[in-house]
Amino acid sequence: MPGAKPGMTEPDMSNPRKVHVKSFGCQMNVYDSHRMADALAPAGYVETAQIADADLVILNTCNIREKAVDKVYSEIGRVREFKEAAASQGREMLIAVAGCVAQAEGEEITRRASAVDLVVGSQNYHRLPGMIARLRNGGKIVDTEFPVEDKFDALAQPSRTAIAKRGVTSFVTVQEGCDKFCTFCVVPYTRGAEISRPVKKIVADVEKLAEAGVREITLIGQNVNAYHGEGADGRPATLSVLLHRLSDVPGIVRLRYTTSHPLDMKDDLIEAHRDLPALMPYVHLPVQSGSDRILAAMNRRHTRRHYLDAIARLRTARGDLVFSSDFIVGFPGETEQDFRDTLSLVEEVGYGGAYSFSYSPRPGTPAADMENQVPAAESHERLLRLQALITQQWQAFNASSVGRTVDVLLEKPGRVTGQLVGKTPYLQTVQVMARPELIGKVLPVAITGTGTNTLFGEFAGQPHAPELASAGA
Ligand code: SAH
Ligand code: SF4
Ligand code: F3S
């Protein structure tokens, strides 16, 4: 088999092994899960949604908050029961722990949870097929080194069927790792130093996705707007240059990027929002806190003013931009006044949605050792107040869509027969009655109402809209 690693058994495609991959983290974690499944496909593994059927279960973990880590250990306990049931039927089930907890805790995981056979760090999963083959001889493997080779080069490409199964939207990692070292955050330790992939390789990935039917690409990176991959002229290209290049790929009609850092919101990226119709007018720009004192203690390296200026510059470039953000409440030393500064910043910006979290001390990060940790009850009370405000803004934003006609990318069948589910440019979910052939099309939809997490709509111009007659062809 071309590209087979030494020691790898020839796959038996008539009786494939089954792998179940479960993601616990961010978009990059989800993307990595797909790439792990892709890496294992040439070794004869097909994906299964059922743990009970699996020969290999991969838990792709997240280390960002304590809760995320707790979840992993309780899930290992649950999978162990399936493993024991399989063993009682004479069948082997391997358990692998991958991702950011694997990277941070390494061998500790196999010590704490003896059912785990393999621990694979976030930079090593291209080596999975070789590791699995070695495991057949028994024992345990822990591989969390940062390798010298580029995992993206070594990874198997997804097959056309794998892409088609994953739908018309796709993530693509363009930048990974972080050099910013916010004092609360584990990412610089679990993902390593910032690296950017070359433009040429990203374009090749996106072309392949587009050929298989993908219409929307979200470029992902921990600090995606710090992107500086090698461009066509051999010099570093910015995210704006990359977005311009990708907007030329036939079939790609929508582009997004996440997560960006306010410090890296450079002029040319702001201009891309003005100049590129394919670049969706919804920007996730985390700020964490509205208090300068707390921003400094977090080592965010920008002020409230700097953040609000970035928002204003973006809005000047494109008037219909809507923002989302991440917030942490109860960071060490946060007073009621600091928290009110966060509330006032939320009022000032007016978000289309946002994520908010209680600060969770992470071992090895500077903030975990700071004095003045905020009591959990106080942090929780602030979180509820912030979430109430964010929910109110989100609902107001959704309500403001009613009566408007918006472009919707139709993504998949809905729960009701004859219904499709799609997304607006602002990532709002829309349900609309439509034929399945329209999946992958962007069509104008008149928004008629709102549900809890969704908007309802009808095709604008129905029932005789000419674009509908031709769109499915
Ligand atoms: N690179 C992105 C964020 C990555 S982590 C950025 O710079 O904004 C995603 C979010 O998790 C962060 O924005 C932050 O809000 C939250 N987060 C990170 N560490 C946390 C911690 N220790 N406790 C609570 N929330 C945390
Ligand atoms: Fe974490 Fe800060 Fe880096 Fe974001 S910028 S990944 S919050 S250290
Ligand atoms: Fe979690 Fe790692 Fe993503 S810690 S948020 S899975 S980068």
Side-chain angles (χ1 to χ4, degrees):
M1 196 184 75
K5 305 272 187 313
M8 209 161 96
T9 29
E10 278 294 312
D12 174 4
M13 293 303 191
S14 62
N15 183 19
R17 295 201 180 92
K18 291 184 183 155
V19 57
H20 176 86
V21 195
K22 186 164 176 185
S23 271
F24 290 84
C26 59
Q27 287 111 326
M28 191 174 288
N29 181 276
V30 173
Y31 172 84
D32 290 348
S33 291
H34 289 324
R35 302 313 306 267
M36 284 192 261
D38 296 337
L40 287 162
Y45 279 89
V46 296
E47 279 187 85
T48 173
Q50 261 72 49
I51 296 183
D53 293 349
D55 302 292
L56 169 64
V57 175
I58 301 178
L59 303 178
N60 195 12
T61 61
C62 173
N63 200 6
I64 203 82
R65 284 167 290 274
E66 197 179 352
K67 249 193 216 150
V69 179
D70 292 345
K71 239 191 253 167
V72 173
Y73 282 101
S74 67
E75 185 69 9
I76 294 173
R78 199 169 80 89
V79 179
R80 195 188 62 202
E81 289 173 19
F82 286 101
K83 180 176 176 137
E84 286 165 358
S88 70
Q89 298 159 7
R91 195 165 62 80
E92 187 183 41
M93 181 188 287
L94 296 173
I95 303 180
V97 175
C100 290
V101 177
Q103 191 63 53
E105 298 197 0
E107 266 176 36
E108 175 64 21
I109 298 175
T110 47
R111 268 199 293 271
R112 234 176 111 176
S114 60
V116 172
D117 301 286
L118 170 64
V119 177
V120 53
S122 51
Q123 304 306 322
N124 309 68
Y125 52 75
H126 56 294
R127 298 179 182 162
L128 264 174
M131 292 182 210
I132 301 289
R134 279 188 355 248
L135 271 180
R136 293 222 183 83
N137 306 323
K140 307 227 177 251
I141 296 178
V142 176
D143 186 353
T144 55
E145 273 167 43
F146 283 88
V148 284
E149 76 268 19
D150 181 350
K151 74 172 170 197
F152 293 102
D153 284 346
L155 274 170
Q157 287 296 319
S159 67
R160 226 186 135 87
T161 29
I163 299 172
K165 238 167 70 194
R166 290 171 194 162
V168 295
T169 65
S170 183
F171 300 131
V172 173
T173 293
V174 301
Q175 180 276 343
E176 188 171 354
C178 180
D179 297 337
K180 294 226 164 40
F181 291 91
C182 300
T183 53
F184 52 82
C185 185
V186 292
V187 170
Y189 312 98
T190 63
R191 290 278 173 178
E194 205 176 81
I195 60 113
S196 294
R197 300 178 60 208
V199 170
K200 202 164 71 185
K201 292 188 179 169
I202 297 164
V203 171
D205 283 0
V206 170
E207 281 173 348
K208 183 149 190 218
L209 291 165
E211 279 161 24
V214 170
R215 295 292 162 256
E216 173 180 300
I217 298 285
T218 302
L219 304 179
I220 54 175
Q222 272 83 32
N223 276 288
V224 73
N225 54 345
Y227 175 82
H228 59 275
E230 185 187 311
D233 56 2
R235 297 219 306 270
T238 62
L239 186 64
S240 168
V241 168
L242 178 64
L243 286 163
H244 275 90
R245 176 66 189 83
L246 294 177
S247 70
D248 293 337
V249 173
I252 298 301
V253 294
R254 285 184 168 186
L255 291 168
R256 305 178 185 276
Y257 61 87
T258 196
T259 299
S260 35
H261 193 287
L263 265 189
D264 297 309
M265 216 14 112
K266 299 282 157 48
D267 287 342
D268 69 332
L269 181 56
I270 292 177
E271 284 156 16
H273 279 282
R274 181 195 63 201
D275 299 336
L276 283 179
L279 185 55
M280 291 295 101
Y282 191 61
V283 178
H284 184 60
L285 194 57
V287 63
Q288 317 297 354
S289 169
S291 153
D292 280 339
R293 228 171 52 79
I294 296 299
L295 286 172
M298 286 176 163
N299 190 34
R300 288 293 289 182
R301 299 194 268 173
H302 64 79
T303 59
R304 172 190 177 103
R305 185 74 264 148
H306 182 280
Y307 179 80
L308 291 172
D309 282 350
I311 298 260
R313 281 154 64 222
L314 279 153
R315 280 189 168 140
T316 307
R318 189 165 171 178
D320 62 351
L321 277 185
V322 172
F323 294 90
S324 69
S325 192
D326 291 345
F327 295 92
I328 295 178
V329 300
F331 185 82
E334 187 188 71
T335 62
E336 173 65 21
Q337 186 52 50
D338 292 317
F339 174 65
R340 286 193 188 164
D341 290 346
T342 298
L343 292 179
S344 78
L345 178 136
V346 174
E347 298 274 13
E348 202 168 329
V349 174
Y351 289 99
Y355 299 96
S356 49
F357 312 98
S358 269
Y359 168 68
S360 167
R362 308 303 301 124
T365 60
D369 298 327
M370 285 180 187
E371 310 274 305
N372 310 325
Q373 298 284 328
V374 173
E378 219 165 295
S379 189
H380 186 65
E381 187 262 343
R382 287 179 193 165
L383 185 66
L384 294 181
R385 281 157 72 198
L386 176 59
Q387 284 179 342
L389 177 60
I390 290 168
T391 305
Q392 195 190 325
Q393 292 191 344
W394 175 65
Q395 286 172 343
F397 175 62
N398 281 344
S400 74
S401 308
V402 177
R404 293 196 187 165
T405 295
V406 293
D407 282 344
V408 172
L409 171 60
L410 297 163
E411 295 184 2
K412 56 184 180 200
R415 285 205 201 111
V416 177
T417 314
Q419 182 193 62
L420 295 184
V421 174
K423 292 271 165 62
T424 71
Y426 303 106
L427 284 179
Q428 297 152 293
T429 301
V430 181
Q431 295 176 4
V432 60
M433 297 308 281
R435 289 174 288 131
E437 307 88 86
L438 295 176
I439 289 175
K441 307 281 176 200
V442 176
L443 292 171
V445 171
I447 304 301
T448 53
T450 62
T452 331
N453 286 312
T454 184
L455 303 177
F456 303 108
E458 286 167 5
F459 283 124
Q462 251 192 345
H464 301 298
E467 71 270 29
L468 294 185
S470 60

